[in-house]
């Protein structure tokens, strides 16, 4: 006998241990002979990470598909693994070392890397144990890590191949530079933070002898009516500290104010550099003054304009965000040697960037060149880990030719070989690839895949998989060319010092580089392994929309470039990309630590169990709609599990003990034929919904079947059978209940694996076929149909439900027994009423069932099929008092609605209130709308009855 209550805290660890002991999730476990494969690669969590709600949703949806396909007999591999998370991991280890007063630069690279590996062995991978608590059925024996030996070999193969194809190269371009971590970072590691700042309007003098007419007054139509002669331009900037690196001023070619001075020059204040005025489409003539200072070495837009208009690139910032002026040849080139320049350089050299901002603004003010200052709220990019504003910085880095690699990736989705679900995410994918920029893949870190590039004494680069290969290539290169380098290398070789020929590049690769290879590197590539041949390409990728550009795009690019079929055609890494939405708080606000609304999935598992959390996430995961997670909903779906548990206990107490030889087609009772038909319909609906990634619909179908049809109606209708004297009917029903429970456990298993595995083991009875685990049981097939039985029982349910609703709406006391009068019944309805009279009396709490040609006065009425069902209520309730009660409730509801409508029609409230508060008001309004509709129906009923 089952325990009275389900204890998730006790059951879940025991079931997890059982799965582990039986190696239940290894690749191919439970597969039929010759089965087709189904493979998913887990989006690798960071080695520093811990389970958050995004992980919980992502892995729940993957696990539903994986368990579903495993039960369908496919050869399933769910490939787990972790990302080495370059910056995050290096920061964690550096902080721990600082507690011991140790610094990585003092330790040296090798010793520091050893410490990182030590940390990884002791503390990394916590998230795997957390995923196991969630029930993730990965093949844990195949765990991979982006820095393990096999994946590192794949990284070397890809880097060297792309370099030799000309698709990886070195170039000097702008990057997101973190002045705290001293490295380039990716766009994904940049957080846009809105800040209150200033917009400084600065005057740049025109070169001597140059003036122009600037409009100062306008008519009602915006046409200039007055002008003044100016010998300066006004530029507006939020970053005055970069003005020392200006190499031009840009205006729009159609801006008539400046047409006469395009091609002329301004004299850069403070330092006297002569810089050109150029025409370019980038400046917005309607924004500010329409004239924009160009700092190509410190602004991404300016960099693009600078390249188009051939402006100089002058870097004036150090790696840690200080001005670098003295000794900076790029900065000093072409500047007049004046006392003022020497004073400026002396005052600002090596000054921190924000201190330099204040000093430069003061200098402009002293010279009468500060036109005005405006308060200005704007977004400032910050490094998400360093926490300080990033600097666009001109540095020499390694880059990938994204445009070339993008073409096959675009074509694959356009031609339908890979599809997005929901389809609307294709737009994001296309926009990114159609406008893609080169990818900066080098990072100034120590933890990561060190770039396989070595430099000769003259800076010549040699890219090979090993230092030995690079040295061989260098010796061949230098000895083949006459000159001083040949003699130098010959001398080193003669004196047995070949190690002095090359110096290795210190940078490591962007973490996303190794992640881009994940679908095939985890299967053993570049070796031709059996796993690679069997499981590649994978089937579906499940991920969030935020990493479409950073991971999805790059996996498509790399997979199509390196993976080919037997005919040499490119092979996509997956045929479907399922993009799930965000998990937000109950009011629709994005979760963040600063808001204090972060929900820890492990806390929810502790309180409600993993099954309840999983089922909640699944039933709320409608395509394209964010999940608004309210712990109260999880409590509700825990009750759903309790409902099934209690139903199983009830079945056991009524003699249900397995049915190994049950044949659905042999049942005779209408109620049993009905539940088997509804079960078959549910199997069809759930299977179709999972296949089409409509997880919420699959979960919803299961909820309706288990709670409403099986528990509320089927078991209730069987109570007289179980307590009756008809042993044949009882035996048939016991077997049918056992069968339906077994099939229900199977259907629910992908969603609620722990409880269903426990119930499967406890309800085996004498069934020999139940020796195995539920996770390997065969998925149900939709094969039974008795539409007549289903129609009749559903008619009975509709009738009883309608009567119950009327009783509730009319406030009839639960114990009161009401008469029932049926008007206009057909012969079929009369037969059904007679056949099910006992059930109707018991379930609807009515006594006599009479037929009539007219509805009695003082009765509430409902229509079921062709018949009108009448409940004479005059003797049961005070109709006048009930009408008054409903009218008061309706008035109160209307008042509450008007109050909320007033708020939502107030533009200031909607604009200024927090989005989650506005959304909560909208949800409350929808709730009141539903209440009002119900009260209107109740008022109509009581009015008709009166």
């Amino acid at each position: 006998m089952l325990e009275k209550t389900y204890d998730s805290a006790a059951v879940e660890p025991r079931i997890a241990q059982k799965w582990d002991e039986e190696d239940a999730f290894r690749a191919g476990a439970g597969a039929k002979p010759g089965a087709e494969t189904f493979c998913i690669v887990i989006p690798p969590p960071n080695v520093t990470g811990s389970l958050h709600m995004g992980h919980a949703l992502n892995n729940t949806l993957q696990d539903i598909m994986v368990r579903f396909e495993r039960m369908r007999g496919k050869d399933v591999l769910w490939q787990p693994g972790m990302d080495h998370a370059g910056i995050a991991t290096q920061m964690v280890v550096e902080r721990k070392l600082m507690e011991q007063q140790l610094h990585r630069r003092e330790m040296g690279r090798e010793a520091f890397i050893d410490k990182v590996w030590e940390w990884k062995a002791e503390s990394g991978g916590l998230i795997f144990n957390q995923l196991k608590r969630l029930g993730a059925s990965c093949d844990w024996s195949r765990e991979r890590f982006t820095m393990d030996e096999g994946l590192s070999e794949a990284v070397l193969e890809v880097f060297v191949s792309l370099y030799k194809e000309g698709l990886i190269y070195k170039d000097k371009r702008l990057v997101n530079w973190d002045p705290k971590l001293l490295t380039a970072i990716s766009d994904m590691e940049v957080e846009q933070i809105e800040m209150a700042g200033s917009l400084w309007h600065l005057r740049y003098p025109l070169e001597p002898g140059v003036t122009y007419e600037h409009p100062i007054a306008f008519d009602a139509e915006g046409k200039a009516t007055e002008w003044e002669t100016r010998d300066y331009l006004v530029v507006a900037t939020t970053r005055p500290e970069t003005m020392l690196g200006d190499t031009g001023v840009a205006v729009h070619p159609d801006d008539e104010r400046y047409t006469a001075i395009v091609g002329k020059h301004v004299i850069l204040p403070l330092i006297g550099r002569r810089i050109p005025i150029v025409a370019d489409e980038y400046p917005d003539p309607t924004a500010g003054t329409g004239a924009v200072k160009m700092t190509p070495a410190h602004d991404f837009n300016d960099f693009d304009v600078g390249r188009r208009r051939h402006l100089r690139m002058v870097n004036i910032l150090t790696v840690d965000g200080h001005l670098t002026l003295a000794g900076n040849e790029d900065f000093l080139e072409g500047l007049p040697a004046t006392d003022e320049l020497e004073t400026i350089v002396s005052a600002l050299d090596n000054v921190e960037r924000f201190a330099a901002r204040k000093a430069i603004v003061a200098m402009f003010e002293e010279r009468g060149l500060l036109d005005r200052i405006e308060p200005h709220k704007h977004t400032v990019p910050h490094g998400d880990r360093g926490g300080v504003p990033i600097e666009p910085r001109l540095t020499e880095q390694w880059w990938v030719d994204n445009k070339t690699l993008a073409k096959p990736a675009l074509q694959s989705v356009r031609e339908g070989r890979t599809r997005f679900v929901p389809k609307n995410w294709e737009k994001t994918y296309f926009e990114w690839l159609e406008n893609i920029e080169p990818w900066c893949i080098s990072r100034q870190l120590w933890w990561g895949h060190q770039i396989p590039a070595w430099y000769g004494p003259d800076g010549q680069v040699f890219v090979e998989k090993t230092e030995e290969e690079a040295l061989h290539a260098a010796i061949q290169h230098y000895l083949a060319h006459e000159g001083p380098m040949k003699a130098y290398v010959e001398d080193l070789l003669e004196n047995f010092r070949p190690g002095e020929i090359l110096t290795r590049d210190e940078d490591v690769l962007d973490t996303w580089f190794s992640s881009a290879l994940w679908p095939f590197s985890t299967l053993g590539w570049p070796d031709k392994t059996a796993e690679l041949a069997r499981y590649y390409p994978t089937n579906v990728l499940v991920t969030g929309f935020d990493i479409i550009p950073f991971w999805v795009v790059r996996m498509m690019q790399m997979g199509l470039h390196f993976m080919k079929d037997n005919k040499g055609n490119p092979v996509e890494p997956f045929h479907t990309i399922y993009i799930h939405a965000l998990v937000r708080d109950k009011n629709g606000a994005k979760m963040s630590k600063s808001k204090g609304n972060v929900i820890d999935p492990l806390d929810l598992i502790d309180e409600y169990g993993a099954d309840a959390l999983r089922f909640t996430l699944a039933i709320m995961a409608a395509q394209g709609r964010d999940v608004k997670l309210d712990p109260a909903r999880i409590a509700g779906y825990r009750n759903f599990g309790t409902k099934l548990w209690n139903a199983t206990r009830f079945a056991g107490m009524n003699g249900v003990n397995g049915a190994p030889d049950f044949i659905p087609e042999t049942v005779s009772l209408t109620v049993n034929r009905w539940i088997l038909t509804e079960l078959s319909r549910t199997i069809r609906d759930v299977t179709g919904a999972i296949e089409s990634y409509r997880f919420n619909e699959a979960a919803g179908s299961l909820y309706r079947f288990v709670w409403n049809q099986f528990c509320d109606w089927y078991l209730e209708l069987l109570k007289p059978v179980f307590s009756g004297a008809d042993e044949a009917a009882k035996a048939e029903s016991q077997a049918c209940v056992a069968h339906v429970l077994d099939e229900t456990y199977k259907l629910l298993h992908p969603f609620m694996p722990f409880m269903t595995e426990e119930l499967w083991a406890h309800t085996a009875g004498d069934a020999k076929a139940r020796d195995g685990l539920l996770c390997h049981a065969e998925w149900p097939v939709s094969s039974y149909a008795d539409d007549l039985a289903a129609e009749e029982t559903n008619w009975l349910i509709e009738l009883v439900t309608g009567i119950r609703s009327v009783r509730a709406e009319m406030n009839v006391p639960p114990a009161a027994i009401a008469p029932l009068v049926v008007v206009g019944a057909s012969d079929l309805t009369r037969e059904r009423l007679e056949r099910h009279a006992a059930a109707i009396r018991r379930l609807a709490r009515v006594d006599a069932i009479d037929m009539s040609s007219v509805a009695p006065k003082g009765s509430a009425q409902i229509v079921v099929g062709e018949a009108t069902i009448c409940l004479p209520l005059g003797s049961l309730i005070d109709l006048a008092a009930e009408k008054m009660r409903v009218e008061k409730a309706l008035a109160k509801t209307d008042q509450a609605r008007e109050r909320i409508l007033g708020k939502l029609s107030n533009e200031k409230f909607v604009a200024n209130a927090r989005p989650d508060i506005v959304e909560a008001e909208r949800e409350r309004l929808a709730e009141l709308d539903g209440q009002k509709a119900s009260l209107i129906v109740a008022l109509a009923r009581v009015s008709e009855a009166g």
Side-chain angles (χ1 to χ4, degrees):
M1 177 63 69
L2 282 177
E3 295 291 334
K4 188 173 182 180
T5 57
Y6 175 68
D7 182 358
S8 61
V11 171
E12 289 178 359
R14 177 162 45 77
I15 294 295
Q17 183 179 357
K18 189 175 183 179
W19 288 331
D20 191 49
E21 289 170 352
E22 300 201 23
D23 199 13
F25 308 136
R26 63 178 170 77
K32 296 177 181 178
E36 65 177 289
T37 61
F38 182 82
C39 181
I40 291 181
V41 291
I42 197 170
N46 287 352
V47 67
T48 59
S50 60
L51 194 70
H52 58 62
M53 287 310 311
H55 290 133
L57 174 62
N58 181 284
N59 287 279
T60 292
L61 299 182
Q62 290 179 80
D63 196 47
I64 289 170
M65 286 189 282
V66 163
R67 289 181 183 270
F68 169 67
E69 297 294 3
R70 190 183 287 121
M71 294 175 75
R72 295 217 287 182
K74 291 185 181 179
D75 178 353
V76 172
L77 168 60
W78 188 8
Q79 173 66 59
M82 280 187 300
D83 192 283
H84 63 278
I87 292 179
T89 304
Q90 182 158 319
M91 284 183 65
V92 167
V93 177
E94 282 199 71
R95 278 198 298 265
K96 289 187 173 295
L97 291 173
M98 288 299 289
E99 293 171 3
Q100 307 169 40
Q101 303 299 311
L102 295 173
H103 193 280
R104 67 180 172 99
R105 299 236 172 242
E106 296 169 359
M107 299 173 64
R109 187 175 193 132
E110 289 189 17
F112 176 75
I113 296 300
D114 288 343
K115 288 291 184 184
V116 181
W117 280 108
E118 286 177 21
W119 175 86
K120 193 261 180 185
E122 294 171 6
S123 308
L126 170 70
I127 195 169
F128 274 178
N129 291 327
Q130 296 171 338
L131 286 171
K132 289 177 182 178
R133 285 197 64 193
L134 185 68
S137 61
C138 300
D139 183 351
W140 298 106
S141 69
R142 291 186 52 84
E143 176 188 333
R144 303 305 300 268
F145 181 54
T146 49
M147 287 280 287
D148 69 26
E149 186 175 342
L151 271 69
S152 295
E153 183 184 349
V155 168
L156 288 173
E157 179 74 26
V158 167
F159 187 96
V160 174
S161 297
L162 291 178
Y163 175 79
K164 294 189 174 182
E165 293 174 49
L167 297 174
I168 284 181
Y169 57 93
K170 288 201 83 171
D171 192 12
K172 202 168 187 178
R173 297 176 59 94
L174 281 196
V175 296
N176 298 310
W177 185 265
D178 190 315
K180 183 176 180 180
L181 301 180
L182 307 183
T183 180
I185 60 176
S186 72
D187 289 341
M188 191 175 183
E189 292 158 327
V190 175
E191 183 180 9
Q192 300 293 340
I193 298 177
E194 188 171 70
M195 302 181 71
S198 297
L199 190 63
W200 286 272
H201 294 256
L202 309 177
R203 294 186 177 186
Y204 282 19
L206 292 164
E207 58 187 332
V210 176
T211 60
Y212 72 104
E213 298 301 312
H214 193 278
I216 57 172
F218 304 87
D219 61 20
E221 296 179 356
K223 294 182 179 180
T225 57
E226 292 183 42
W227 295 260
E228 71 174 10
T229 301
R230 286 187 177 179
D231 60 358
Y232 62 88
L233 282 179
V234 177
V235 299
T237 181
T238 59
R239 306 183 67 217
E241 67 276 13
T242 64
M243 57 81 50
L244 297 177
D246 286 0
T247 57
V249 173
V251 297
H252 195 278
D254 297 334
D255 193 336
E256 296 179 354
R257 292 171 295 179
Y258 305 117
T259 304
I261 55 173
V262 170
K264 307 296 184 180
H265 295 75
V266 296
I267 306 301
L268 191 62
L270 307 185
I271 58 174
R273 174 175 286 125
R274 185 172 177 266
I275 60 176
I277 301 168
V278 298
D280 192 89
E281 301 287 337
Y282 167 65
D284 180 357
T286 66
T289 64
V292 183
K293 64 188 281 298
M294 290 287 109
T295 321
H298 296 287
D299 183 277
F300 288 102
N301 292 315
D302 295 4
F303 178 82
D304 292 337
V305 175
R307 283 207 160 178
R308 287 195 295 269
R309 305 304 165 201
H310 310 293
L311 301 178
R312 285 182 57 206
M313 310 275 176
V314 177
N315 185 3
I316 59 161
L317 289 173
T318 63
V319 292
D320 60 353
H322 289 65
L323 291 190
T324 173
L325 305 179
N328 181 343
E329 294 181 2
D330 283 345
F331 170 72
L332 295 172
E333 181 185 341
L335 291 182
T338 63
D339 291 341
E340 182 174 25
L341 177 63
E342 187 175 338
T343 300
I344 295 293
V345 169
S346 176
L348 294 177
D349 188 46
N350 205 34
V351 174
E352 190 274 334
R353 53 184 170 157
F354 296 119
R357 174 182 295 179
K358 292 180 181 179
I360 288 172
V361 170
M363 291 176 181
F364 267 79
E365 190 168 18
E366 289 170 5
R367 290 160 175 75
L369 298 176
L370 181 60
D371 194 79
R372 67 186 188 281
I373 305 174
E374 294 176 349
H376 184 64
K377 187 175 283 189
H378 62 134
T379 56
V380 178
H382 285 62
D384 66 347
R385 299 195 183 278
V388 300
I390 63 104
E391 283 292 340
R393 189 166 186 272
L394 189 65
T395 62
E396 191 171 44
Q397 302 279 353
W398 289 93
W399 301 84
V400 169
D401 177 1
N402 260 336
K403 285 194 180 298
T404 299
L405 293 175
K407 293 173 185 176
L410 270 169
Q411 191 175 1
S412 174
V413 175
R414 283 200 174 118
E415 296 177 0
R417 292 190 298 279
T418 295
R419 68 186 182 109
F420 278 83
V421 178
K423 187 176 176 62
N424 60 286
W425 288 111
E426 288 182 1
K427 182 180 179 183
T428 300
Y429 179 85
F430 291 147
E431 285 178 351
W432 183 263
L433 283 172
E434 287 164 355
N435 300 285
I436 202 162
E437 295 290 333
W439 171 18
C440 176
I441 56 173
S442 44
R443 298 290 181 268
Q444 290 63 56
L445 304 170
W446 284 357
W447 173 244
H449 295 100
Q450 192 170 356
I451 289 175
W454 286 262
Y455 301 97
D458 59 349
Q460 177 68 38
V461 65
F462 301 94
V463 172
E464 301 291 347
K465 294 179 188 176
T466 66
E467 186 170 7
E468 291 73 20
E469 291 174 306
L471 182 59
H472 177 74
I475 291 170
Q476 296 284 12
H477 170 79
Y478 288 120
L479 296 184
H481 297 82
E482 294 295 335
M485 287 308 305
K486 179 179 180 181
Y488 177 73
V489 170
E490 286 176 334
D491 179 65
L492 290 175
L493 293 174
E494 288 172 7
N495 290 285
F496 305 102
R497 296 189 349 253
E500 296 180 26
I501 296 175
L502 295 179
T503 302
R504 186 166 187 178
D505 194 310
E506 290 194 354
D507 289 354
V508 300
L509 287 166
D510 177 12
T511 298
W512 294 102
F513 191 89
S514 50
S515 299
L517 319 181
W518 193 247
F520 54 91
S521 65
T522 52
L523 297 174
W525 188 91
D527 295 336
K528 295 183 178 180
T529 64
E531 292 88 350
L532 185 67
R534 180 146 185 78
Y535 295 109
Y536 190 91
T538 69
N539 293 72
V540 58
L541 174 73
V542 180
T543 189
F545 63 85
D546 53 331
I547 56 175
I548 290 175
F550 304 101
W551 192 45
V552 176
V553 162
R554 288 164 183 170
M555 283 191 290
M556 289 289 287
Q557 289 176 308
M558 294 300 186
L560 287 163
H561 191 78
F562 286 98
M563 302 304 295
K564 304 288 190 291
D565 62 18
N566 293 333
K567 297 180 180 178
N569 299 314
V571 179
E572 290 78 7
F574 21 72
H575 61 66
T576 301
I577 302 163
Y578 177 81
I579 302 295
H580 62 74
L582 287 177
V583 183
R584 298 179 178 270
D585 72 10
K586 65 181 181 181
N587 296 316
K590 189 173 181 180
M591 293 186 193
S592 70
K593 291 180 180 178
S594 61
K595 292 179 182 175
N597 65 344
V598 172
I599 303 174
D600 187 337
L602 296 173
D603 291 341
L604 297 176
I605 291 173
D606 288 341
E607 185 170 358
Y608 304 107
D611 286 331
L613 174 60
R614 288 170 60 112
F615 195 84
T616 305
L617 292 171
I619 205 167
M620 299 182 74
Q623 288 183 12
R625 190 184 309 158
D626 287 343
V627 174
K628 295 179 185 177
L629 190 64
D630 185 348
R633 295 289 296 272
I634 303 170
Y637 292 117
R638 178 183 59 184
N639 295 342
F640 169 66
T642 300
K643 188 88 168 177
L644 178 62
W645 185 269
N646 291 339
T648 303
R649 287 188 82 250
F650 172 82
M653 289 186 291
N654 283 276
V656 176
N657 187 32
D661 302 318
F662 179 77
I663 302 173
E665 287 72 20
T666 63
V667 299
S668 60
L669 293 183
T670 299
V671 68
N672 289 332
R673 297 202 306 273
W674 163 71
I675 197 65
L676 290 171
T677 302
E678 293 298 344
L679 171 65
S680 193
R681 291 171 178 174
T682 302
I683 292 169
R684 178 198 63 207
D685 292 345
V686 171
T687 302
I690 296 177
E691 286 177 332
S692 56
Y693 311 101
R694 292 177 285 112
F695 303 103
N696 62 311
E697 293 182 20
S701 294
L702 284 166
Y703 185 92
R704 287 187 295 274
F705 176 76
V706 173
W707 191 295
N708 299 330
Q709 294 174 315
F710 183 78
C711 296
D712 282 356
W713 290 106
Y714 181 54
L715 294 183
E716 190 65 36
L717 291 168
L718 282 183
K719 283 180 180 179
V721 178
F722 286 148
S723 61
D726 188 337
E727 293 299 324
K730 185 186 299 184
E732 176 190 297
S733 298
Q734 288 168 337
C736 188
V737 169
H739 173 75
V740 173
L741 280 172
D742 279 1
E743 300 300 276
T744 300
Y745 301 151
K746 294 175 187 177
L747 290 171
L748 261 175
H749 181 72
F751 300 85
M752 306 180 79
F754 293 104
M755 175 183 282
T756 53
E757 191 77 73
E758 178 79 351
L759 289 171
W760 180 259
H762 272 83
T763 57
D766 300 324
K768 300 300 181 186
R770 291 279 293 278
D771 292 342
L773 293 167
L774 174 59
C775 62
H776 294 155
E778 188 170 349
W779 185 256
V781 177
S782 175
S783 59
Y784 186 91
D786 187 333
D787 294 336
L788 291 177
E791 182 184 343
E792 179 163 328
T793 305
N794 286 329
W795 168 88
L796 173 62
I797 291 170
E798 183 184 359
L799 173 66
V800 173
T801 300
I803 295 170
R804 287 175 172 177
S805 295
V806 168
R807 291 176 62 102
E809 290 164 3
M810 305 289 282
N811 218 20
V812 176
I817 303 298
L820 189 67
V821 177
V822 182
V823 177
S826 65
D827 290 343
L828 177 61
T829 296
R830 289 170 183 266
E831 290 173 13
R832 288 174 174 175
L833 287 166
E834 183 177 348
R835 191 159 48 243
H836 298 291
I840 294 169
R841 290 190 183 98
R842 178 171 63 90
L843 298 173
R845 300 196 64 77
V846 299
D847 47 17
I849 303 176
D850 297 320
M851 303 295 158
S852 176
S853 58
V854 293
K857 288 186 177 181
S859 64
Q861 301 171 20
I862 57 172
V863 176
V864 179
E866 84 295 341
T868 301
I869 311 300
C870 306
L871 284 172
L873 299 176
S875 61
L876 298 177
I877 61 172
D878 184 336
L879 292 173
E882 181 59 20
K883 182 178 181 182
M884 186 179 298
R885 182 190 71 81
V886 175
E887 287 174 339
K888 284 183 178 179
L890 187 57
K892 187 175 180 181
T893 301
D894 276 334
Q895 287 176 357
R897 287 183 71 256
E898 290 302 319
R899 193 163 51 246
I900 294 176
L901 284 169
K903 283 185 179 181
L904 295 177
S905 62
N906 184 334
E907 293 181 2
K908 289 185 178 179
F909 170 78
V910 175
N912 298 325
R914 289 207 322 264
D916 55 308
I917 292 176
V918 175
E919 183 62 24
E921 292 289 353
R922 286 181 176 140
E923 289 181 0
R924 175 61 179 152
L925 180 62
E927 184 182 322
L928 289 169
D929 287 342
Q931 290 177 12
K932 180 176 180 178
S934 298
L935 288 168
I936 288 172
V937 170
L939 185 60
R941 290 197 195 283
V942 75
S943 298
E944 290 169 3

